[in-house]
Amino acid sequence: MSKMDDEGEQITTVIDVAKFASSRADEINTMMQALEGRRKGKRMFQRLPRHMRRRAVSHNVKRLPRSMRSQGEKEMKQSKPTQKRKEGADTEDSEPAKKRSRRHRRRPSNLRSEFNRRQRRFIWLETHLWHAKRFKMEDKWGHRIPLHSNEKGVRAAYRSVMKHCLMQDVSYNGVVELVGRKENILKVMNCITNKETGINISDERYLNGSHHGRTILYKKNAYPYKAIGPTDFMWNALTTDGTTPSDGSTRQLWLWLHPACFDETIAEIKGMCSEGSIDVSINDLRADLVRFHLEGPLSRSVLIDALKVADVACSSETIEGRHWWEEHYLDPDKLAAYKEQSILWEGMSNVDIASKLESSCMMGLTVRDPRHLLPRKRMQAMIDSTKIIEESTKQNLLEKDKLFWSPIWDHNVRKQVKDTQVSQHKINQMRSEQLVPGTPLDLGRQESRIPVLILQNPGSQTLCKDKRGSPTFGTLGYGAGFDVIIPSGWGMEFWVAFYFRGARAGARREASSSHLHQGRPEFPLDYPDTQGGKLYAKSLQEELVTSYMKKPPAKRLNYSKVGTENPFSHPWNELVVYWRTNVEQKDASSAEKNEQLIELNPESENTDIFILRSNQHLYQLQNQCIGKCFKPSKKSVNVKQPKTEDLYTKENIASIFTNETFLKLKSSLVFVTMRMLNRGAPSMFAMICLMNKEDLEALESNPSSPGPIEPKHTGSPTPRVGKKSESVKHKKELNVKGQQSELDKAVKLQTSTDEISTNIDCCSRAIIGYVTNGAQAFSVGVGCSVGLCSFGGLVRLLQQKVPGRNAVVLIRDSKSLQYRYAYIKITTIT
């Protein structure tokens, strides 16, 4: 039996060997077939069968089969960049450069060089590394800026604005400094600004440096056409000797500009100075200042807890090795201003004093290094309301005239503050040597003193006297807070200090939401009369069209069948031209007067569009829109319905505008704010339409009516890209159903948006404007939106408005057939 068992085992072994040899041969054949297949354009490790591929093969040749290693080594040697040859060495002798280790790449000097290389195309903010780990980033206007947080907390950001603090880094806005005599600076600014917009840059409250303002810049003497963009401006009140300047002395003016209009503004100012021989120096301070925007009721608490007044007292004995603050505050006037600012800041924790601060005021301060005052863990800064200040101190706190002075206006001071900053490595080393961990560091004279400028922002304000029962459009004081301006090089230190005290970080999406809740226009989206707004609209449309065409035809909405001719753009020019030619004249009976006006200006009308920013005309339109809400009747049975003729009122527009003014304004757009009556949350590109008689009757009888529905359109099929010639069946369909829409042609041919011709009469309701931003507003509880309407369309709206009621329009989303009722209000905010 033992011999038979041995023979059986031998037979089994032979069979196993044969099986292994056959499997090995099959594997080799598979490998050879793969090598000899169609993968001749790939490297050796990519030609292996899928079951033999390993991730380490790409950098480790020993992972390859032995028969393939020699060829793999040659490929890897050829792919590696060669090192720099020594003098007199041949190219063949040069060895391939080895990949640097991670430890070498993570060295601070190597990281800085790598970051500088990556900033050649797009500029980084000082808080870029902090945002890049927590936010979605985007490339806009030559900067790499955060778009929104990865947490996607829209409601959390709203709660921060309403109850806590939300902060944003707006340092991508650049600063232009104008230095010269006051007369020369005003001569330049008066040519590119206009008093009709509501703010005069030469007002005393701005000239003395106590307040900052916001206005609109235009091309030289081109108002109201050729707008450039909005700007925040502020005057430096004190000269270098610390005294209040008199007329004719040298002054400084800062203009904070969006990067979309920065270069255009500088070019316009330089052109005026060179043409008129105006002695005004223009400095670019984009790399010198950092600006943070804080909004919310606790923004004051965050600033008070984070910014501590520094001690600037210095002994007169030390002459050599003085710091900037020891030299600067030797002047008794500057030292007196510092003491006044310290007293005010210590009293800011009192609610009574904070409430007495004027709107848009400015405060200068010199503070300590925020790194020495960081809490051990993140906390919520709160103000101790039990602190009591004497009445005599309260009365004298806000009567000082040097509270707004700051050393930050001096270029040499900003440079010294940046150069003398103590490194973070040294601070960490000193903390590690402390006997008691967590004890605040005391560096004495070596601690940095940083000048800052604090700007108060009033937030949302009421623009008119609301009547009883009128619709609400927002919350009073929403978005109020402070802006902090600090020297460059200190952005990350102050950002972390604010964050550790409970401030929530926001980005461009939160800023857009804040503008929507306040009913303010957002640059450059709501400025189509500027070059920056036009470029932004064009890039946005190209992005949306590209995203639209990436979807398969079955997943793309056919906009022509829902009656939307412009799903990705706002045809402002076509809208203005349509209402400029079809609007009813305000005084139709007196045709002779109109003919006389036309004869006075024969074909001299400017065909360019512009946004109406004259406060006088906006208030006149605003008063006509104000009224009470539509409320359902208490009696639901046997309610007498009003007649259609009683609902319409032909208001006398002649009493509002003269003939000459009417002709000037009919080429304008008006910024409006809308609030939905019932349901609906409009989005971008939604259409603002007029109601007809049936819609008005339905709303008067039932204020809870959902609104009319747009009838379906017989549009053309969804366009398909990639086919060079159209099929015979498709041509027959086009012949039967009519010509294909211009949008489909543009999308199919992938042409620019300029070739698209629009049709304002594409809907059953007359379009008077378009929505630029809309969403569900948490402050009101219903959908809100902002947009632009043509002046002629608003005139028609006022003519058919129900007497005593607030003006109502219809809003239809670009993807829907449902119209929704919405209240409309005209705003005067720039």
Side-chain angles (χ1 to χ4, degrees):
M1 294 293 292
S2 60
K3 292 182 178 181
M4 294 179 63
D5 293 338
D6 293 339
E7 292 178 358
E9 290 178 1
Q10 292 177 1
I11 294 172
T12 304
T13 304
V14 171
I15 294 174
D16 294 339
V17 172
K19 288 182 179 180
F20 175 76
S22 60
S23 62
R24 184 64 176 172
D26 295 340
E27 189 173 326
I28 294 174
N29 292 334
T30 305
M31 184 179 65
M32 294 305 295
Q33 292 176 3
L35 293 175
E36 296 176 359
R38 300 179 181 178
R39 303 174 181 268
K40 294 183 180 181
K42 297 186 177 181
R43 299 177 60 179
M44 293 300 296
F45 69 89
Q46 292 174 315
R47 300 180 190 178
L48 290 172
R50 292 190 177 276
H51 69 281
M52 297 181 65
R53 295 183 185 179
R54 299 293 182 270
R55 182 176 58 183
V57 178
S58 60
H59 62 274
N60 189 357
V61 188
K62 294 183 180 181
R63 294 286 183 176
L64 284 171
R66 292 184 179 179
S67 59
M68 303 172 62
R69 289 180 188 175
S70 59
Q71 183 65 20
E73 289 178 358
K74 292 180 181 179
E75 291 181 353
M76 294 187 68
K77 187 176 181 179
Q78 294 174 359
S79 62
K80 286 185 177 181
T82 56
Q83 294 179 345
K84 292 184 178 180
R85 295 185 292 131
K86 297 180 180 180
E87 295 182 1
D90 298 333
T91 308
E92 298 178 356
D93 299 336
S94 59
E95 299 179 355
K98 295 182 180 180
K99 186 178 181 180
R100 297 290 187 180
S101 64
R102 187 179 185 277
R103 182 179 181 182
H104 179 272
R105 286 183 277 116
R106 297 299 296 178
R107 288 177 181 174
S109 60
N110 296 334
L111 279 177
R112 283 194 297 269
S113 62
E114 176 65 15
F115 292 157
N116 293 332
R117 182 191 66 81
R118 290 161 60 182
Q119 294 184 57
R120 293 175 184 174
R121 186 178 178 186
F122 295 99
I123 302 174
W124 287 3
L125 305 180
E126 291 190 9
T127 58
H128 171 81
L129 296 179
W130 191 93
H131 281 100
K133 299 176 182 179
R134 302 167 178 87
F135 281 69
K136 172 70 175 177
M137 309 296 291
E138 64 174 353
D139 299 326
K140 284 290 184 182
W141 309 297
H143 290 74
R144 184 75 172 169
I145 59 178
L147 178 60
H148 62 80
S149 173
N150 292 331
E151 298 176 356
K152 302 178 182 178
V154 180
R155 288 180 178 270
Y158 170 76
R159 287 195 299 268
S160 298
V161 178
M162 289 296 297
K163 300 180 180 179
H164 303 95
C165 177
L166 181 73
M167 66 175 179
Q168 303 164 24
D169 188 355
V170 293
S171 303
Y172 53 85
N173 294 327
V175 185
V176 177
E177 183 184 46
L178 304 182
V179 182
R181 297 173 66 90
K182 183 184 72 173
E183 293 80 4
N184 295 336
I185 296 178
L186 290 178
K187 186 177 180 180
V188 173
M189 297 304 299
N190 290 335
C191 293
I192 59 178
T193 59
N194 196 280
K195 300 178 182 179
E196 293 184 4
T197 57
I199 291 183
N200 186 6
I201 200 170
S202 60
D203 286 349
E204 186 63 28
R205 66 195 302 258
Y206 301 121
L207 278 177
N208 61 17
S210 60
H211 295 76
H212 65 99
R214 183 177 177 87
T215 186
I216 303 294
L217 301 181
Y218 293 86
K219 295 285 186 179
K220 181 180 178 181
N221 299 326
Y223 175 83
Y225 301 95
K226 298 180 181 180
I228 298 177
T231 178
D232 293 335
F233 64 90
M234 55 191 71
W235 289 87
N236 182 15
L238 303 179
T239 57
T240 55
D241 58 354
T243 59
T244 303
S246 59
D247 294 340
S249 59
T250 302
R251 300 298 302 274
Q252 286 176 278
L253 174 66
W254 281 356
L255 301 177
W256 289 83
L257 300 165
H258 193 276
C261 63
F262 188 89
D263 296 335
E264 187 179 2
T265 303
I266 286 188
E268 187 67 22
I269 296 177
K270 287 183 177 179
M272 284 189 297
C273 294
S274 60
E275 291 176 6
S277 300
I278 303 175
D279 187 13
V280 174
S281 61
I282 305 169
N283 303 322
D284 185 355
L285 303 184
R286 281 182 288 187
D288 291 359
L289 296 169
V290 177
R291 184 168 180 170
F292 296 148
H293 178 71
L294 287 79
E295 51 185 353
L298 294 185
S299 57
R300 180 167 58 97
S301 307
V302 172
L303 292 180
I304 291 174
D305 194 73
L307 305 180
K308 299 298 182 182
V309 180
D311 183 14
V312 297
C314 58
S315 60
S316 59
E317 299 177 356
T318 59
I319 300 177
E320 297 181 358
R322 285 181 177 177
H323 298 279
W324 73 267
W325 46 273
E326 293 175 333
E327 291 283 352
H328 212 70
Y329 286 104
L330 286 177
D331 191 337
D333 293 332
K334 297 178 180 179
L335 186 60
Y338 160 79
K339 293 179 179 179
E340 293 176 5
Q341 295 167 0
S342 303
I343 296 174
L344 173 64
W345 193 248
E346 291 177 358
M348 278 288 292
S349 57
N350 188 279
V351 180
D352 296 338
I353 295 178
S355 62
K356 291 181 181 179
L357 290 177
E358 295 183 5
S359 177
S360 302
C361 66
M362 298 167 56
M363 293 177 289
L365 212 61
T366 303
V367 299
R368 296 181 57 188
D369 190 339
R371 293 175 294 181
H372 302 315
L373 307 171
L374 276 180
R376 301 192 63 178
K377 61 181 180 179
R378 195 172 183 226
M379 42 84 75
Q380 187 69 53
M382 300 295 292
I383 293 180
D384 187 8
S385 59
T386 60
K387 189 175 181 180
I388 301 176
I389 299 180
E390 298 180 1
E391 292 296 331
S392 59
T393 307
K394 291 181 183 180
Q395 295 176 0
N396 298 327
L397 273 177
L398 302 177
E399 296 177 358
K400 306 299 181 181
D401 56 348
K402 297 181 180 180
L403 299 176
F404 33 85
W405 174 82
S406 176
I408 198 173
W409 291 88
D410 192 346
H411 171 72
N412 296 326
V413 170
R414 296 195 301 266
K415 187 177 184 301
Q416 294 180 27
V417 169
K418 183 177 181 180
D419 295 340
T420 58
Q421 180 183 9
V422 182
S423 64
Q424 186 66 39
H425 172 72
K426 185 176 181 179
I427 292 179
N428 294 337
Q429 186 177 5
M430 296 177 64
R431 286 175 178 171
S432 63
E433 296 174 356
Q434 286 182 326
L435 297 177
V436 180
T439 306
L441 295 176
D442 186 11
L443 301 182
R445 293 178 62 253
Q446 301 301 322
E447 182 180 349
S448 301
R449 272 74 166 174
I450 306 101
V452 299
L453 197 60
I454 303 174
L455 315 179
Q456 196 272 345
N457 296 318
S460 178
Q461 301 292 315
T462 54
L463 304 179
C464 58
K465 297 181 180 179
D466 294 334
K467 298 181 181 179
R468 184 177 180 182
S470 60
T472 56
F473 286 85
T475 303
L476 180 62
Y478 181 90
F482 298 88
D483 279 20
V484 183
I485 301 175
I486 58 178
S488 62
W490 288 90
M492 196 61 204
E493 286 74 15
F494 281 88
W495 181 268
V496 173
F498 298 153
Y499 181 78
F500 265 71
R501 286 165 175 84
R504 184 181 182 87
R508 199 165 71 89
R509 184 189 63 180
E510 285 73 26
S512 178
S513 176
S514 179
H515 280 79
L516 175 62
H517 282 78
Q518 298 181 45
R520 293 175 51 194
E522 178 186 4
F523 186 82
L525 180 61
D526 297 323
Y527 291 77
D529 58 339
T530 63
Q531 188 65 24
K534 295 175 183 177
L535 294 177
Y536 179 78
K538 186 175 181 180
S539 63
L540 179 62
Q541 182 172 8
E542 292 176 355
E543 180 182 348
L544 294 176
V545 169
T546 303
S547 177
Y548 175 79
M549 295 309 300
K550 286 182 180 179
K551 300 177 183 178
K555 302 300 180 183
R556 294 200 298 257
L557 175 62
N558 192 344
Y559 288 100
S560 61
K561 292 189 176 181
V562 295
T564 303
E565 290 291 335
N566 307 280
F568 308 122
S569 64
H570 298 110
W572 304 119
N573 291 316
E574 290 80 358
L575 180 69
V576 169
V577 170
Y578 173 82
W579 283 105
R580 188 169 54 193
T581 56
N582 294 277
V583 67
E584 185 179 22
Q585 294 293 336
K586 67 181 184 64
D587 194 3
S589 59
S590 59
E592 297 179 358
K593 294 183 180 180
N594 294 334
E595 292 178 359
Q596 293 176 1
L597 287 172
I598 295 174
E599 290 177 0
L600 292 176
N601 290 325
E603 298 181 358
S604 62
E605 248 184 295
N606 197 330
T607 57
D608 296 338
I609 65 172
F610 67 94
I611 296 179
L612 181 61
R613 299 187 178 95
S614 173
N615 279 3
Q616 179 184 0
H617 297 151
L618 290 175
Y619 279 124
Q620 291 173 347
L621 291 173
Q622 188 183 80
N623 294 330
Q624 298 296 322
C625 292
I626 298 175
K628 295 183 178 181
C629 297
F630 284 86
K631 294 184 179 180
S633 177
K634 297 181 180 180
K635 298 181 180 180
S636 58
V637 183
N638 297 330
V639 177
K640 184 179 180 180
Q641 300 296 339
K643 296 182 180 180
T644 306
E645 292 77 7
D646 297 337
L647 295 178
Y648 279 88
T649 173
K650 295 290 183 180
E651 294 192 8
N652 188 12
I653 307 299
S655 61
I656 304 176
F657 301 107
T658 62
N659 286 337
E660 186 177 358
T661 304
F662 187 84
L663 290 176
K664 291 180 180 179
L665 300 182
K666 68 178 184 178
S667 298
S668 64
L669 295 170
V670 183
F671 184 78
V672 296
T673 305
M674 289 151 290
R675 199 212 78 178
M676 309 304 293
L677 267 74
N678 304 306
R679 298 181 60 184
S683 60
M684 189 183 297
F685 308 114
M687 292 160 279
I688 306 173
C689 307
L690 293 176
M691 296 188 297
N692 55 24
K693 296 180 180 180
E694 292 76 11
D695 304 333
L696 199 55
E697 289 178 355
L699 179 62
E700 187 69 24
S701 61
N702 182 18
S704 300
S705 173
I709 298 177
E710 175 73 13
K712 294 183 179 180
H713 294 244
T714 57
S716 58
T718 305
R720 296 173 181 268
V721 179
K723 295 184 179 180
K724 296 182 179 180
S725 60
E726 297 177 349
S727 61
V728 178
K729 182 179 179 181
H730 184 59
K731 289 182 178 180
K732 290 182 179 179
E733 292 178 356
L734 289 179
N735 293 332
V736 174
K737 297 182 179 180
Q739 295 294 331
Q740 193 178 17
S741 66
E742 295 296 330
L743 173 64
D744 293 343
K745 287 184 179 180
V747 172
K748 180 178 179 180
L749 298 176
Q750 294 181 346
T751 57
S752 62
T753 60
D754 299 335
E755 300 178 4
I756 302 176
S757 62
T758 58
N759 183 9
I760 304 301
D761 288 333
C762 62
C763 304
S764 60
R765 307 302 191 276
I767 301 176
I768 63 172
Y770 292 90
V771 173
T772 57
N773 190 11
Q776 184 75 12
F778 305 118
S779 59
V780 185
V782 294
C784 287
S785 61
V786 295
L788 293 167
C789 293
S790 66
F791 177 78
L794 285 176
V795 170
R796 183 68 59 83
L797 173 66
L798 295 178
Q799 290 177 347
Q800 70 175 39
K801 187 177 76 72
V802 178
R805 298 288 193 183
N806 199 88
V808 179
V809 294
L810 291 174
I811 298 181
R812 182 169 73 91
D813 199 67
S814 60
K815 300 180 180 180
S816 174
L817 295 173
Q818 179 70 53
Y819 288 93
R820 299 286 184 183
Y821 295 106
Y823 294 114
I824 187 172
K825 184 182 73 170
I826 298 172
T827 179
T828 58
I829 301 177
T830 56

